[in-house]
Amino acid sequence: MNKHIFIAAFITISLAVTGCTEEPKQKTASQPLQPIDVAEVLVKPVQNWHVYTSRLESPEEVALMPRVSGVIDRIAFKEGDNVKQGDLLFQLDDRPFAAVVASLEAQILSANAALDQAQSEAKRAVRLTERNAISTEQAQARTSTLHQREAQLAALQAQLTSAQLDLEFTAIRSPINGVISRANITRGNNVLAGQSILTSIVSNHEMYAYFDIDERTWNSSFADVTAASKQQVVMQKIGQQSFTHDGYINFIDNRINPSTGTLRVRAIFEGQHSEVNDQLRAGSFARIKLAANAITKQIIIPERAIGTDLKNRFVLTVGENNVLEYKLVEIGERYGKLRAITSGLKKGDIIAVNGPARVGPGMPISPTTVTIDTTDIAFTLSSNDDVSLIAKN
């Protein structure tokens, strides 16, 4: 009797346990799959970009100093304005210099009169010598006097030329085109020739950016570049969101710096951006990007599709039965909102576009196929006429 009761109780408990374990499975099987946007990876020819920092420099800078000493009589410019070569900037008191010129002109008139007399006496001496009416010694003395008068006149004419230059230098003019700074010395002050810095002028038509490329990068990516090839670069000023200034390399140094293992390179940019009215200023901080000449094909995916797992980067791919799989990847260059993948993915792979935000590896999904947007993104210099599109970010 007890044996039958025990068997019946065991069967009842077993059925109850089986029912509890089967019910969640039925519920799980009935749950809807997570809808996820998926896309096939792109394969694009790309160029690697290298970024360097620099300070803009003007091709021409002048610390303006007077050529003659004197007192400033007038300042003829507005501080901060654009000036052109030859514009009057400072006027010194020219009266002392004009007086010197007038004195020398008078001395030259006297010297010319003395020279005329010496020439006349020298000619007369020649005629008298032919008639033996004068001694040879007297004739030579008159000839010597003539040469002295000629030398005196030449010396006075040289002094007059120097005095006229000094008078001309009292009008201090701009030696270059550019933007002028403030007046360091104001009207009424005395200035010294070659010592007093009146102001400074910086040319702004073009700007230089010097930067150093390490020897390994130069040899691997730019070995065939010369100044004549005008390698294109783009530039971003501090505070700007994109690389809006286009330029090119116009100077490459003739030697590697043995102390740093780098090569000094210079890029040139237009001083005024024609489209955005963005003026470049000397001394500005700048970031320079230039593309390697080698073009390679690489996998391209949206950057948001990449997840981070401790030290690793990974992507979720769609496997059999629409189950997500974990793939380790190595990332390459960034192109706008897209990223190159150097290893871990292959052509034809389907990825979860939005990454591991809502899903994880091993999860079955309901895929919705989308296309990776490459609008306004150029992956090589030759793929778009507007170089700045390559380096927007």
Side-chain angles (χ1 to χ4, degrees):
M1 182 68 179
N2 293 336
K3 182 177 180 181
H4 291 295
I5 294 174
F6 177 77
I7 292 172
F10 179 77
I11 292 173
T12 301
I13 293 172
S14 298
L15 291 173
V17 172
T18 302
C20 292
T21 57
E22 289 181 353
E23 185 176 359
K25 292 183 179 179
Q26 293 174 356
K27 288 183 179 179
T28 302
S30 64
Q31 286 182 349
L33 298 178
Q34 178 77 21
I36 293 296
D37 291 341
V38 300
E40 183 178 351
V41 299
L42 301 177
V43 180
K44 293 284 188 180
V46 299
Q47 288 175 295
N48 290 332
W49 285 85
H50 303 272
V51 182
Y52 302 94
T53 58
S54 177
R55 291 278 180 184
L56 296 182
E57 297 183 20
S58 173
E60 294 181 307
E61 296 185 17
V62 174
L64 191 65
M65 291 184 286
R67 296 189 182 188
V68 294
S69 299
V71 176
I72 296 177
D73 189 52
R74 183 164 64 97
I75 297 176
F77 67 92
K78 186 177 179 180
E79 296 176 325
D81 270 2
N82 287 301
V83 296
K84 295 181 179 180
Q85 183 177 0
D87 285 353
L88 178 65
L89 303 179
F90 293 86
Q91 178 64 58
L92 303 183
D93 185 0
D94 62 357
R95 290 174 297 175
F97 301 92
V100 173
V101 169
S103 174
L104 288 170
E105 288 175 342
Q107 293 179 51
I108 286 175
L109 290 176
S110 176
N112 274 319
L115 177 61
D116 289 342
Q117 182 180 358
Q119 289 174 340
S120 176
E121 291 181 356
K123 290 178 181 178
R124 185 181 176 193
V126 171
R127 294 194 301 269
L128 293 174
T129 302
E130 291 174 352
R131 297 198 302 266
N132 293 323
I134 189 174
S135 66
T136 303
E137 182 179 353
Q138 289 176 323
Q140 290 176 347
R142 293 186 181 185
T143 302
S144 177
T145 300
L146 172 62
H147 293 329
Q148 291 176 10
R149 297 291 183 265
E150 291 175 341
Q152 289 173 357
L153 179 61
L156 288 172
Q157 287 174 336
Q159 292 178 39
L160 176 62
T161 300
S162 177
Q164 288 172 334
L165 283 175
D166 288 344
L167 178 61
E168 181 182 341
F169 292 154
T170 59
I172 302 172
R173 302 181 181 276
S174 176
I176 61 172
N177 298 332
V179 180
I180 194 166
S181 183
R182 66 182 183 88
N184 296 326
I185 304 176
T186 55
R187 187 165 61 94
N189 287 288
N190 189 67
V191 294
L192 299 178
Q195 297 184 32
S196 303
I197 299 179
L198 302 175
T199 186
S200 62
I201 307 171
V202 175
S203 66
N204 62 343
H205 178 64
E206 295 174 331
M207 285 292 165
Y208 288 158
Y210 289 90
F211 53 97
D212 298 321
I213 301 177
D214 66 273
E215 186 176 1
R216 182 186 298 275
T217 299
W218 181 265
N219 292 336
S220 62
S221 302
F222 306 105
D224 59 340
V225 174
T226 64
S229 61
K230 294 186 176 181
Q231 181 81 9
Q232 290 180 291
V233 301
V234 290
M235 182 192 68
Q236 175 193 54
K237 295 195 302 182
I238 189 169
Q240 293 183 331
Q241 300 301 316
S242 58
F243 290 75
T244 57
H245 295 271
D246 306 334
Y248 60 89
I249 292 175
N250 74 333
F251 166 77
I252 301 169
D253 210 348
N254 58 4
R255 64 192 294 268
I256 300 289
N257 186 331
S259 300
T260 61
T262 58
L263 181 66
R264 176 58 58 93
V265 175
R266 183 181 71 199
I268 186 170
F269 300 90
E270 290 294 326
Q272 185 79 22
H273 198 291
S274 58
E275 296 180 359
V276 296
N277 194 30
D278 185 8
Q279 184 177 355
L280 299 181
R281 295 183 182 276
S284 297
F285 178 83
R287 296 175 68 226
I288 311 296
K289 274 191 176 184
L290 67 158
N293 286 341
I295 298 177
T296 58
K297 287 188 176 182
Q298 292 187 8
I299 301 294
I300 302 295
I301 66 172
E303 190 158 26
R304 67 178 184 273
I306 304 171
T308 302
D309 182 13
L310 297 178
K311 295 182 179 180
N312 300 320
R313 301 290 182 93
F314 68 92
V315 172
L316 296 177
T317 61
V318 181
E320 294 183 2
N321 301 321
N322 292 329
V323 176
L324 295 178
E325 299 178 354
Y326 180 93
K327 290 288 184 71
L328 286 174
V329 296
E330 293 183 8
I331 63 174
E333 195 69 35
R334 183 183 178 195
Y335 301 92
K337 296 181 180 180
L338 306 181
R339 176 74 75 167
I341 301 298
T342 58
S343 68
L345 295 176
K346 64 183 184 300
K347 183 179 180 181
D349 281 347
I350 307 296
I351 64 168
V353 173
N354 295 315
R358 294 182 297 166
V359 292
M363 180 181 294
I365 62 168
S366 174
T368 301
T369 302
V370 298
T371 303
I372 298 175
D373 184 17
T374 60
T375 305
D376 289 341
I377 296 179
F379 299 94
T380 64
L381 284 173
S382 59
S383 62
N384 201 305
D385 291 335
D386 187 359
V387 180
S388 64
L389 291 177
I390 300 177
K392 276 188 174 181
N393 297 297

